[in-house]
Amino acid sequence: MARRVYGKTGCSVEATLSVIGGTWKPVILFYLVSRTRRFMELTRLIPNATQSMLTSQLRELEADGVVVRHVYPEVPPKVEYRLSELGRTLVPVLLAMRDWGDSYKKMNRSKDAEEGGGAEL
């Protein structure tokens, strides 16, 4: 089922990162937490990722069994992506990453405000 070997260290964190690591995979997975999404919807939600990069990342996530791709037999083709049962087990990890990111951004905003001394631009 899995797409690749999980690295050289045998560390479980390395195994996790081999599946969800990278710039776009966690973002794609996060947007799939709430509901099934069509490909073009994901491209709009993640505008800095090229369509070919999203396609590549989605294929890897599908190969690793965390995303399910469904193609509807119609013209033009309709393709949807959702988290698999295995992918749903990543929801707590993704939500923890979101919460940590929110805290980190707040901390940096506070730090920037302190360093700026409240001076106007």
Side-chain angles (χ1 to χ4, degrees):
M1 175 172 99
R3 163 180 64 81
R4 59 183 130 173
V5 179
Y6 298 123
K8 299 172 183 148
T9 67
C11 176
S12 297
V13 172
E14 186 178 12
T16 304
L17 289 174
S18 75
V19 175
I20 69 166
T23 303
W24 305 117
K25 285 182 186 179
V27 178
I28 292 166
L29 291 168
F30 182 74
Y31 282 122
L32 294 177
V33 165
S34 59
R35 63 185 178 89
T36 298
R37 306 258 184 191
R38 292 183 68 176
F39 180 78
M40 289 309 294
E41 187 178 5
L42 289 169
T43 63
R44 285 189 293 277
L45 290 167
I46 311 169
N48 291 332
T50 65
Q51 286 188 14
S52 63
M53 179 56 72
L54 282 177
T55 298
S56 170
Q57 300 290 276
L58 284 161
R59 284 182 182 154
E60 289 180 15
L61 290 166
E62 184 182 11
D64 283 330
V66 295
V67 166
V68 175
R69 178 178 182 255
H70 184 78
V71 181
Y72 292 89
E74 56 187 57
V75 178
K78 177 181 169 183
V79 180
E80 291 183 338
Y81 296 90
R82 66 174 174 81
L83 292 179
S84 67
E85 287 303 311
L86 177 61
R88 299 243 26 109
T89 66
L90 287 166
V91 171
V93 175
L94 296 164
L95 295 178
M97 290 172 68
R98 179 207 54 199
D99 294 345
W100 188 90
D102 285 345
S103 297
Y104 183 77
K105 289 190 304 186
K106 285 178 189 172
M107 179 184 66
N108 281 326
R109 280 194 295 266
S110 297
K111 193 176 187 181
D112 289 345
E114 288 173 12
E115 289 174 359
E120 292 185 42
L121 298 177

